[in-house]
Amino acid sequence: MALERTLSIIKPDAVAKNVIGEIESRFEKAGLRIVAMKMLQLSREKAEGFYAEHKERPFFKDLVDFMTSGPVVVQVLEGENAVIANRDLMGATNPKEAAPGTIRADFAQSIDANAVHGSDSAESAAREVSYFFADDEICPRS
Ligand code: RTP
Ligand code: MG
């Protein structure tokens, strides 16, 4: 068993739908602990840097437009196998393909407005956590 951290973002569509609490509740019920959290409006530069791996993809501009369209909530989740545990809670990228009961099945509208982001590997998680949080902004509770 591995205690891990992962970066989660509640995207602008879910913030606008006023379901921040419902989404956080799913993390907590699954045994993940929120060890850092902030709400912010992403600049284009910050969003482009975050999604730099997708820079050449056709959907990059739409993705940055969407992620800067309103405030987001960014959090660090800690728990056993947190990266995969969070991806399982999120469901597939396209909500039409997301399993029933997942966050995207329940709250997402489309592949663009898909409610949440979660790191896809331990390596991404390390990069993404430090992209948003300084060490002294993370409060381990386990
Ligand atoms: P995320 O990074 O947001 O957690 O989502 P993911 O790993 O499931 O998907 P990824 O492949 O990393 O893509 C990042 C975000 O870009 C948007 N996207 N649009 N139109 C498209 O074909 C397309 N593909 C991806 C989605 O909003 C996805 O979450
Ligand atoms: Mg991804």
Side-chain angles (χ1 to χ4, degrees), residues 59-71:
F59 58 81
F60 183 69
K61 182 178 177 297
D62 286 347
L63 177 60
V64 172
D65 286 348
F66 172 65
M67 290 299 289
T68 57
S69 66

Side-chain angles (χ1 to χ4, degrees), residues 108-123:
Q109 342 281 320
S110 68
I111 194 165
D112 298 304
N114 64 358
V116 279
H117 162 82
S119 307
D120 61 12
S121 67
E123 294 71 31

